[in-house]
Amino acid sequence: MPRFSVIVPCFKVQGFLRECLDSVLLQSFNDLELIAVDDCSPDGCGAILDEYAERDPRVKVLHLPENVGLGRARNAGMPHATGDYLFFLDSDDTLTPGALRAVADRLAESGDPDVLVFDYARTYWWGGTRRNVLAQVLADAGTDTFTVTGRPEILDLLMVVWNKVYRRDFVEEHGFEFPPGYYEDTPWTFPVMLSARRIAALDRICLNYRQRRQGNILSTTSRKHFDIHDQYERVFAFVDAHGELAGWRPYLHRKMGEHCLDILAKPDRLPPADRAEFFRRTAEMFRRHRPEGALVDGEVALLEGGYPAYRLKRQAARAGREAGRRTEQLRRAGALRARRGWAGLHAHRPLDPHLVVYSASSHRGVLGDPAAVYRKAREIAPQLRGVWVVRDEEAAAQLPPDVEHVLVDSRRYLEVTARAKFFVNDVNWPGSLAKRPGSVHLHTHQGTPLKYMGADLLDKPGARLGFDVPQMLRRADRWDYSLVSNRHSELVWERAYPCHFTSLRTGSPRNDVLVGAADGAGEAGAAFRLRHGIPEDHRVVLYAPTRRDYRRGGYVDRLDLARFAADLGQDCTLVVRLHPTLATGPARGMGLTELARRGVVVDATDEPHVEEVMLASDVLVTDYSALMFDYANLDRPIVVHADDWAAYTASRGAYLDITAEAPGHVSRTYRELAWLFGSGSWRDEEAARLRADFRERFCEFDDGRAAERVVRTLLLGESMPAGAPVRIPGQNVGGDLLAPT
């Protein structure tokens, strides 16, 4: 008996069907049967299903003699199911990689509940992906099982059949089945959820919910949307037949009103001539099922009046939103004029030679190269006043208590930036910041460039979507100095940013802590291991993937993290750090969050100091992240996983072929990656040779004194103590300004 019976009804989806079936049959967890129901589809669905059944014994196909609709097609598949759990998958949707393994593990952990609710993401025909906005409900549910009485907020999630799996014995015991018509999920999900004695939640995106541009049933203008009334009548009849559920009538009464008004508000659902009738039938049903003493307020209060009153209130609401939008535009324009006036008052005051303004990663906090310069300045130049620019109160709350800061665009920000002599940043300052004569801007960048940057993106239109290259170059015109760690960076920055700055061969200040730390994790690395409960004798494998420009949103699932962690062995800990731009998107919901909760991996994406993460690790696995150039300072093994190098370079462009000039071995498939670690080749003599060549080229100016060099020579105007000479070739400066005397 399989663990899962995946039931897939099919009707006029031949363009999506193979992708759907493959997403099930290629899962790493394969203890399943797939019951495909051909709902008398007039296209090629039936032939596609037969093709799959012929080559995979897990596939069973039912060909219905007539079209019965989505709900009844699901009913037709259920008697053929033999699995422990039923999974209803629509034939234009897909499972995410590793989804069934995650569901199976959560079912085992929770002791086989009646229902397991998981997360999903909407995927759009134009390439966008958006996670369920109520995903936090699943995260808050925790690891224990519950009922809807204990956690009623679970009913706020989209009440559909496909974001859950159902214990088959539970479904058969209660005789649940789908009714005919549109919105057939409604009289299934409410009775199921209200009846379940044990519900579990899984905070993981297991399904991609395709938002079709054309052909979606619910986006078809038709009187079939009147079916919603019959479906809620079935829900109320179920509650009436189960007296213990009577307390849910007020909730369901309001839910019905909100659901029907939502259908009415959508322009593509009902024919215009039928909208008034739909409102009247909804209002009549709302009055008929209103429980005694029920509170009717908010949006559903519109059902207490007539359709003309409803239309007037809808029109007034639209007019109010438009007026509010115009008012907000005027407010912002006025605030901008006020800020400019405030800044102008301070622009006539002399610059403060001891005032240094810092920012990092778009004002996210004390991070990266600017942070290393700031800390060194506090150590050797206490007369300098360092002020950090942060983006909001949340970022400010994360700062150490002794760090002076201002919020971007605040009055204090305008005052400080108008008076500061020095500006240190790793990304561009806002365009509204005017550079005063005599001020000095230091740009640290964010590591060594592998992918195309700046003006080089002009030939990569896909990578610069929404990116204004001329505006970026106007902002870069404010740079006085550009810090570099190697000659490669020096050449790239001068090409990618054709501006009037001077290149400084200082090395990377943030890498000072990495230089010479190859023999041990150091205090910072040990603290990271202790904080995350990593055993001292474990080998730590750091996996750091970068974003992809060929995918809207930037995230592409390259590895099955659970499989990789298992293949590494019990004496290893897999630490995952996503690219910062992926931290708040759907990437973590694709399995990382759940795996971290269960202790399968450690999620280091939110760690503010990546240097600590690197110091705690023994080996780096990455695709094309610039982190590899910093990590090379540790002289620890690096593996490049380049399974989509051609697509990556075609979309973004690269300054070198990292597969030919790699810092270690290169894998192009997961099988090759697993073999490198299974055989021990990841740290063999060839890996050491490749790493040494890479370090010699890309860690050329990193000697552990970069931050001191910047503070002494630029902020203080001193000479460096005796040491290796550092040149400034520059575009507009000729001498070796940083060479020791």
Side-chain angles (χ1 to χ4, degrees):
M1 183 168 64
R3 189 60 164 158
F4 296 109
S5 293
V6 184
I7 299 176
V8 183
C10 308
F11 181 74
K12 295 178 68 173
V13 287
Q14 62 179 8
F16 308 112
L17 185 54
R18 292 182 186 276
E19 186 180 0
C20 172
L21 299 176
D22 288 344
S23 77
V24 177
L25 299 174
L26 297 180
Q27 289 280 312
S28 58
F29 184 92
N30 55 26
D31 185 15
L32 63 94
E33 62 181 3
L34 193 156
I35 302 170
V37 182
D38 172 17
D39 190 15
C40 199
S41 184
D43 58 6
C45 285
I48 293 172
L49 296 178
D50 289 340
E51 173 193 329
Y52 273 77
E54 186 174 341
R55 68 171 186 248
D56 194 322
R58 295 174 297 170
V59 179
K60 303 176 183 178
V61 179
L62 303 178
H63 294 284
L64 301 185
E66 60 180 0
N67 177 250
V68 297
L70 185 58
R72 288 181 171 177
R74 290 172 180 155
N75 291 340
M78 277 196 282
H80 299 270
T82 62
D84 297 329
Y85 279 86
L86 302 177
F87 194 140
F88 298 98
L89 177 65
D90 286 353
S91 48
D92 54 352
D93 295 337
T94 56
L95 299 186
T96 60
L100 288 184
R101 167 60 65 187
V103 172
D105 289 345
R106 184 73 183 99
L107 289 172
E109 180 186 41
S110 54
D112 282 6
D114 297 328
V115 180
L116 172 68
V117 187
F118 52 79
D119 202 9
Y120 66 93
R122 297 175 187 266
T123 60
Y124 296 87
W125 58 268
W126 41 264
T129 299
R130 182 167 62 88
R131 188 176 186 180
N132 166 29
V133 295
L134 295 178
Q136 191 60 40
V137 171
L138 297 172
D140 293 342
T143 58
D144 295 335
T145 59
F146 54 89
T147 64
V148 291
T149 301
R151 285 194 172 275
E153 63 272 17
I154 200 71
L155 296 180
D156 292 334
L157 298 175
L158 193 61
M159 281 290 100
V160 290
V161 66
W162 44 254
N163 63 350
K164 308 169 185 72
V165 294
Y166 313 86
R167 188 166 56 82
R168 184 167 59 88
D169 290 346
F170 164 71
V171 171
E172 292 177 352
E173 174 190 348
H174 289 270
F176 294 127
E177 63 179 7
F178 293 92
Y182 281 15
Y183 305 100
E184 75 293 333
D185 288 3
T186 299
W188 167 281
T189 50
F190 280 116
V192 164
M193 295 297 284
L194 294 175
S195 302
R197 294 180 291 273
R198 298 177 66 247
I199 302 171
L202 173 60
D203 179 23
R204 187 198 193 275
I205 297 172
C206 295
L207 182 140
N208 286 322
Y209 176 30
R210 189 189 300 271
Q211 307 297 288
R212 291 163 63 179
R213 186 168 184 266
Q214 297 182 34
N216 184 290
I217 292 177
L218 293 186
S219 295
T220 302
T221 303
S222 165
R223 281 187 61 87
K224 292 286 289 181
H225 293 282
F226 279 78
D227 287 353
I228 189 64
H229 301 121
D230 291 337
Q231 307 298 21
Y232 271 102
E233 290 289 2
R234 293 183 172 97
V235 174
F236 288 122
F238 181 85
V239 172
D240 289 343
H242 297 78
E244 72 278 8
L245 300 179
W248 286 99
R249 288 189 64 86
Y251 172 86
L252 294 170
H253 174 256
R254 173 177 285 271
K255 193 73 172 180
M256 179 272 294
E258 292 173 345
H259 195 169
C260 291
L261 287 175
D262 181 64
I263 294 170
L264 184 61
K266 286 183 166 58
D268 58 352
R269 299 291 175 91
L270 295 160
D274 296 325
R275 297 172 67 82
E277 179 187 352
F278 185 90
F279 178 89
R280 288 192 296 271
R281 288 181 58 177
T282 299
E284 191 279 327
M285 184 176 178
F286 189 76
R287 288 190 295 271
R288 179 159 36 86
H289 287 287
R290 180 176 178 176
E292 184 177 353
L295 178 65
V296 177
D297 60 359
E299 184 182 18
V300 294
L302 294 172
L303 293 170
E304 297 280 277
Y307 183 65
Y310 164 80
R311 290 191 61 190
L312 286 174
K313 289 182 179 180
R314 291 278 301 174
Q315 292 168 357
R318 283 195 295 268
R321 287 193 296 270
E322 178 61 24
R325 186 183 64 81
R326 290 196 298 268
T327 300
E328 178 62 17
Q329 288 177 336
L330 293 173
R331 186 196 67 77
R332 290 180 178 178
L336 178 60
R337 288 193 296 270
R339 288 197 299 270
R340 288 174 175 170
W342 182 261
L345 293 175
H346 295 278
H348 300 292
R349 300 174 63 186
L351 296 177
D352 184 343
H354 296 118
L355 179 56
V356 187
V357 178
Y358 297 90
S359 179
S361 300
S362 300
H363 318 309
R364 288 199 301 118
V366 183
L367 304 168
D369 290 308
V373 174
Y374 169 75
R375 287 190 290 265
K376 183 58 67 173
R378 295 189 68 171
E379 176 188 335
I380 65 176
Q383 71 272 29
L384 295 177
R385 175 191 172 199
V387 180
W388 280 85
V389 177
V390 292
R391 60 187 178 185
D392 51 33
E393 292 288 358
E394 182 179 353
Q398 304 302 315
L399 300 177
D402 60 342
V403 173
E404 185 178 358
H405 68 276
V406 295
L407 300 183
V408 67
D409 285 340
S410 66
R411 285 193 172 187
R412 287 194 63 224
Y413 163 83
L414 296 172
E415 177 182 354
V416 167
T417 55
R419 296 289 315 283
K421 170 74 172 180
F422 300 102
F423 292 78
V424 183
N425 201 346
D426 59 4
V427 295
N428 267 318
W429 293 96
S432 58
L433 177 63
K435 186 178 189 296
R436 290 187 62 184
S439 63
V440 179
H441 284 235
L442 282 68
H443 195 78
T444 70
H445 304 283
Q446 292 183 319
T448 294
L450 171 62
K451 60 188 177 185
Y452 275 12
M453 305 289 286
D456 289 331
L457 292 176
L458 288 170
D459 292 330
K460 295 292 181 181
R464 60 180 175 86
L465 181 66
F467 182 65
D468 189 333
V469 174
Q471 181 187 71
M472 176 273 300
L473 292 179
R474 286 192 293 270
R475 295 181 179 184
D477 280 332
R478 294 173 295 194
W479 303 352
D480 291 290
Y481 298 105
S482 166
L483 308 190
V484 299
S485 300
N486 47 66
R487 298 170 203 260
H488 164 80
S489 296
E490 182 181 294
L491 294 174
V492 167
W493 296 139
E494 292 187 8
R495 164 182 155 171
Y497 299 98
C499 305
H500 297 291
F501 59 79
T502 297
S503 296
L504 289 84
R505 295 180 176 180
T506 59
S508 174
R510 67 178 180 178
N511 288 344
D512 287 349
V513 298
L514 305 180
V515 177
D519 296 332
E523 291 184 7
F528 175 89
R529 287 182 174 234
L530 181 64
R531 191 162 62 247
H532 291 281
I534 300 174
E536 292 184 6
D537 60 344
H538 267 215
R539 177 182 300 124
V540 175
V541 179
L542 171 59
Y543 174 54
T546 194
R547 63 177 290 117
R548 300 306 198 269
D549 291 288
Y550 61 75
R551 175 69 61 88
R552 186 180 291 268
Y555 179 70
V556 179
D557 210 355
R558 307 310 313 172
L559 291 181
D560 183 335
L561 296 177
R563 180 181 178 185
F564 188 35
D567 288 345
L568 286 173
Q570 294 185 351
D571 60 344
C572 290
T573 295
L574 178 61
V575 175
V576 181
R577 183 177 176 87
L578 298 178
H579 190 278
T581 60
L582 303 176
T584 57
R588 295 163 95 169
M590 297 294 285
L592 180 55
T593 297
E594 174 66 9
L595 292 174
R597 181 192 69 78
R598 291 172 38 220
V600 176
V601 303
V602 171
D603 181 4
T605 304
D606 289 335
E607 287 288 330
H609 305 294
V610 67
E611 298 83 7
E612 293 187 10
V613 185
M614 290 190 283
L615 285 166
S617 66
D618 299 295
V619 54
L620 170 67
V621 178
T622 186
D623 34 41
Y624 324 116
S625 171
L627 198 68
M628 73 177 82
F629 297 98
D630 301 327
Y631 196 86
N633 282 284
L634 288 170
D635 196 22
R636 299 176 188 172
I638 301 173
V639 175
V640 176
H641 186 55
D643 64 336
D644 66 340
W645 177 242
Y648 184 83
T649 54
S651 62
R652 179 65 191 235
Y655 292 111
L656 66 142
D657 184 350
I658 199 63
T659 65
E661 303 175 75
H665 288 297
V666 177
S667 59
R668 296 184 182 274
T669 65
Y670 178 76
R671 183 177 182 180
E672 292 178 3
L673 178 64
W675 179 84
L676 284 172
F677 280 92
S679 66
S681 300
W682 60 276
R683 54 178 177 178
D684 62 13
E685 292 183 3
E686 177 65 7
R689 184 191 67 78
L690 292 169
R691 185 167 69 253
D693 292 344
F694 192 84
R695 290 181 67 234
E696 183 177 0
R697 179 178 178 186
F698 294 108
C699 303
E700 183 180 3
F701 305 137
D702 283 334
D703 62 357
R705 304 183 71 187
E708 180 185 3
R709 190 171 291 120
V710 172
V711 173
R712 290 193 184 281
T713 60
L714 293 178
L715 303 187
L716 298 179
E718 300 176 354
S719 298
M720 275 291 287
V726 180
R727 292 166 28 85
I728 307 179
Q731 296 181 349
N732 59 358
V733 176
D736 282 355
L737 299 185
L738 294 189
T741 57

